[in-house]
Amino acid sequence: MSQDHEEECSTQTHVGKPRRTNSPRFNPDEDGRRRATLMTRVHQVRAKGQRIEVSFDGKGQPLGKAGDELQSWIGVLAREHIPIWISDFRSADLAPRKERVWMEVVTSFTVDESYKRCVLKSCGESVKGFRYDLYQAFVRDHIDDENVWQRPPKVVHNYPTITQDDWEKFIQYRRTPEFKRLSEQGSEIRKKSKYGSTGGRDGYRKRDQAHFEKTGKYAERYESWLDMRVKPDGGLKKEEFKPIAENIEEFTQQETQGSFESVGTEDILTKALGNAEHSGRIRGQSEFVKQS
């Protein structure tokens, strides 16, 4: 695995300016250069024929600095090995590339085979987020402009593994009726989502581990869910969270009184939200936590 390369930024111009996204990926430093994810320590350890030791907590979540490095490394591998033009991470055609990602992970970190599904799941999330950032920053407002077919200078500079052919396939798919239909469908779904997390970079994993260090036990799902939506002063970050917080308080009291009992995924959070858990990502938990 090579380090992120640094090339001279192309002198060509590109339509418009990058849109602001939630990711700092395309917001340059003062000198105009992205803070590249070089993962220097990973490369140094690999050069010695060693691996970074990763410890996992009782929920199966990677701990500490090594856990952070593992997450970052998965993101680097996702951008390097999964083409941006792939529309479905579940595609059977991606199997060899996913296997390459997994082998790169276990070559660099002490991760057991039982975590393979979690690692690839995290990889899929990274790929989806990266594609979204590219589209928002460079494509969305210029989809019908002919210049959109040319790689933007920032992409050429920061991601040399994205070829011109990759970029053209990426644009081509985003001009199809299928993408427009899925994009509109996704927008409608997002409009209905009132309770999205606003917890920032720390995420459930770090907050859960901080809770364990402080109390000696893991937070309940409803506690983690609320923690991601509460301001430092104790108030809720959005008014939309208030009914759920009230429901949580009510079911918590019922559980204390013995009139309600949490059974599996039929717990306080599920009852408070009012809809059943599905087989995908577990609400109120990091992607490394399994249903079991």
Side-chain angles (χ1 to χ4, degrees):
M1 178 65 56
S2 60
Q3 296 186 16
D4 288 359
H5 300 288
E6 294 188 1
E7 296 182 350
E8 281 295 312
C9 188
S10 170
T11 57
Q12 73 181 91
T13 58
H14 192 263
V15 284
K17 295 181 180 180
R19 291 170 59 91
R20 297 287 295 183
T21 71
N22 290 332
S23 168
R25 187 174 285 126
F26 300 113
N27 298 329
D29 300 338
E30 292 180 2
D31 61 0
R33 298 170 72 97
R34 171 181 172 266
R35 293 185 177 91
T37 308
L38 296 176
M39 303 298 296
T40 305
R41 191 167 89 96
V42 176
H43 292 288
Q44 290 174 342
V45 172
R46 283 170 60 111
K48 298 176 183 177
Q50 300 172 353
R51 295 189 295 171
I52 295 174
E53 292 283 342
V54 184
S55 298
F56 294 82
D57 64 19
K59 287 187 173 182
Q61 301 171 115
L63 288 163
K65 179 182 177 181
D68 295 343
E69 290 175 322
L70 172 61
Q71 290 283 67
S72 296
W73 186 239
I74 292 171
V76 170
L77 297 175
R79 295 191 292 273
E80 186 161 338
H81 292 298
I82 308 299
I84 59 172
W85 46 266
I86 290 292
S87 59
D88 190 349
F89 190 72
R90 297 167 296 182
S91 171
D93 295 336
L94 278 182
R97 293 178 180 270
K98 290 180 182 178
E99 192 62 28
R100 177 69 184 276
V101 169
W102 171 245
M103 293 307 299
E104 290 284 0
V105 167
V106 296
T107 300
S108 307
F109 295 85
T110 57
V111 181
D112 187 78
E113 181 78 18
S114 62
Y115 287 98
K116 183 175 182 179
R117 181 175 177 276
C118 296
V119 165
L120 294 180
K121 187 176 179 182
S122 181
C123 177
E125 289 295 319
S126 294
V127 171
K128 183 168 67 174
F130 184 50
R131 286 200 308 258
Y132 176 80
D133 286 346
L134 286 172
Y135 177 72
Q136 289 290 106
F138 303 112
V139 180
R140 178 179 171 181
D141 292 342
H142 315 291
I143 189 65
D144 295 320
D145 195 306
E146 287 305 310
N147 289 331
V148 79
W149 292 94
Q150 199 67 23
R151 282 178 301 166
K154 283 188 175 64
V155 173
V156 174
H157 178 65
N158 294 325
Y159 303 102
T161 57
I162 297 177
T163 66
Q164 179 61 29
D165 184 55
D166 288 334
W167 185 257
E168 290 175 6
K169 289 180 180 178
F170 176 70
I171 300 300
Q172 184 176 19
Y173 175 67
R174 275 146 186 80
R175 283 188 163 191
T176 63
E178 179 189 10
F179 175 77
K180 291 179 181 179
R181 178 182 63 81
L182 292 175
S183 180
E184 291 171 359
Q185 181 180 323
S187 295
E188 289 303 313
I189 292 174
R190 284 192 294 275
K191 288 177 184 178
K192 296 177 183 178
S193 177
K194 300 179 181 179
Y195 313 123
S197 166
T198 58
R201 290 178 59 87
D202 282 352
Y204 287 111
R205 179 176 65 93
K206 286 190 176 181
R207 289 169 181 262
D208 202 23
Q209 290 166 0
H211 186 278
F212 185 84
E213 291 175 4
K214 183 178 180 179
T215 66
K217 61 180 181 179
Y218 294 110
E220 297 290 343
R221 276 207 313 153
Y222 71 85
E223 293 177 312
S224 297
W225 190 93
L226 273 179
D227 188 34
M228 289 284 276
R229 293 159 178 84
V230 172
K231 295 185 289 187
D233 63 6
L236 294 170
K237 293 181 179 179
K238 293 184 179 180
E239 187 65 24
E240 292 92 329
F241 300 153
K242 186 176 180 180
I244 306 303
E246 291 174 347
N247 288 345
I248 287 174
E249 183 177 2
E250 180 181 345
F251 282 110
T252 302
Q253 291 176 353
Q254 290 182 17
E255 188 174 54
T256 302
Q257 296 165 358
S259 57
F260 172 77
E261 181 181 2
S262 295
V263 180
T265 56
E266 288 296 311
D267 60 1
I268 290 175
L269 181 60
T270 299
K271 288 292 186 180
L273 290 171
N275 48 51
E277 202 74 22
H278 56 75
S279 59
R281 183 168 179 172
I282 305 171
R283 293 175 295 191
Q285 302 290 291
S286 77
E287 64 268 31
F288 277 87
V289 179
K290 304 174 184 177
Q291 286 276 10
S292 59

